[in-house]
Amino acid sequence: MDFQALRKEYEDQGLNLEDLGIDPIRILRDWMEEATKKSPGRWFEPNAMSLATSDLKGKVTVRLVLLKGICEEGIQFFTNYDSAKGKQLAENPRAAVALHWPYLGRQIRIEGVAEKTSRQVSDEYFHSRPVGAQLSASVSKQSSVVPSRQALEQEKQVLISEVGDGEVALPDDWGGYLIRPDRFEFWQGRSDRLHDRVVLLRNKSEESDEWEVVRLAP
Ligand SMILES: Cc1cc2nc3c(=O)[nH]c(=O)nc-3n(C[C@H](O)[C@H](O)[C@H](O)COP(=O)(O)O)c2cc1C
């Protein structure tokens, strides 16, 4: 494979600190909306984000999850609390995510501290998913070794007959995380690789809670 030939040119759409403002949640919402509107097709998931977590020994793991909520406090995703990521977050709640929209030449990086969402938030989201996905989440002890695919499908069939027409209960080990961010980076690809990088850092003290804005070299 010729990696030299893989060279994308970025259009010169700039990023000015003045235009961005100092409310990172608003910028995230704006960029997310634009990314969704201009999405190249239904096959593309504009809310897919890489999520990095680590344990206390410094072992780092990354995987994709779906961004499922943006609120004033931060961003939400849903998963299994006993999965590898859930165990790492229990040891070390610091998390980092990256969203990438290649058709806009944009990336957002977010760092912060993750905490479990309330059971009510998890329950509402769980039951908003298609029933098939609820059943699959209930039988999947995410990240544990399974004897075979067939074994998983059998477990799902057993649960289907147990549940009948009733509601699938929210599993104890399933729910959301809220990442409370303390660092955002907005990246805009520019021509000749002289890209824009704008970072917002949270300065929180007893007296104030402000975002400091700086520009980084690309
Ligand atoms: C596009 C995409 C979206 C995904 N979204 C989620 C998600 O929202 N929650 C989740 O638990 N896993 C999601 N996964 C699966 C994870 O990448 C991963 O395989 C799983 O969470 C187990 O990760 P862990 O063993 O590191 O905990 C997604 C995978 C892909 C490719």
Side-chain angles (χ1 to χ4, degrees):
M1 179 161 171
D2 181 5
F3 282 94
Q4 297 291 356
L6 292 179
R7 251 195 116 66
K8 172 184 156 90
E9 286 307 320
Y10 292 95
E11 286 164 32
D12 227 350
Q13 183 192 4
L15 202 62
N16 293 315
L17 306 192
E18 305 74 43
D19 300 342
L20 276 184
I22 48 162
D23 179 355
I25 293 289
R26 187 189 54 75
I27 310 167
L28 169 65
R29 279 205 185 103
D30 289 352
W31 281 31
M32 190 70 235
E33 258 172 43
E34 192 175 343
T36 307
K37 245 184 247 155
K38 296 183 177 162
S39 174
R42 286 187 61 80
W43 54 270
F44 187 79
E45 293 179 283
N47 58 333
M49 58 185 191
S50 309
L51 166 76
T53 53
S54 70
D55 65 16
L56 287 180
K57 290 191 191 120
K59 179 180 179 263
V60 183
T61 312
V62 67
R63 82 289 286 157
L64 288 167
V65 293
L66 295 177
L67 172 61
K68 281 291 174 180
I70 302 174
C71 58
E72 286 312 305
E73 288 75 36
I75 57 170
Q76 285 172 353
F77 68 92
F78 293 85
T79 192
N80 184 294
Y81 291 139
D82 289 334
S83 63
K85 73 181 91 49
K87 286 181 175 146
Q88 288 192 329
L89 286 170
E91 270 188 38
N92 172 14
R94 288 214 60 91
V97 311
L99 290 135
H100 177 215
W101 302 294
Y103 47 98
L104 299 177
R106 280 179 173 174
Q107 170 184 243
I108 298 183
R109 293 163 61 180
I110 304 170
E111 293 171 13
V113 178
E115 63 187 55
K116 288 180 183 175
T117 57
S118 68
R119 290 313 276 162
Q120 192 192 336
V121 166
S122 299
D123 193 72
E124 274 168 22
Y125 175 68
F126 183 79
H127 288 111
S128 75
R129 305 173 83 209
V131 174
Q134 295 177 31
L135 291 161
S136 298
S138 302
V139 297
S140 167
K141 302 286 160 228
Q142 197 179 49
S143 312
S144 67
V145 175
V146 287
S148 63
R149 164 131 205 131
Q150 205 191 3
L152 272 177
E153 283 173 1
Q154 270 169 5
E155 273 194 62
K156 193 170 165 194
Q157 283 310 319
V158 171
L159 186 62
I160 288 172
S161 47
E162 278 172 13
V163 169
D165 291 337
E167 192 179 77
V168 185
L170 169 69
D172 290 341
D173 60 3
W174 201 95
Y177 282 99
L178 167 73
I179 302 178
R180 292 183 184 271
D182 46 43
R183 185 185 192 277
F184 281 84
E185 179 181 322
F186 298 91
W187 186 99
Q188 176 73 63
R190 302 283 302 265
S191 59
D192 295 333
R193 301 287 192 264
L194 199 61
H195 309 304
D196 285 328
R197 292 177 68 191
V198 174
V199 171
L200 285 89
L201 291 165
R202 188 171 198 175
N203 289 326
K204 195 169 185 237
S205 66
E206 283 188 6
E207 297 86 51
S208 64
D209 184 6
E210 284 167 357
W211 291 93
E212 178 193 346
V213 188
V214 290
R215 177 180 284 273
L216 296 189

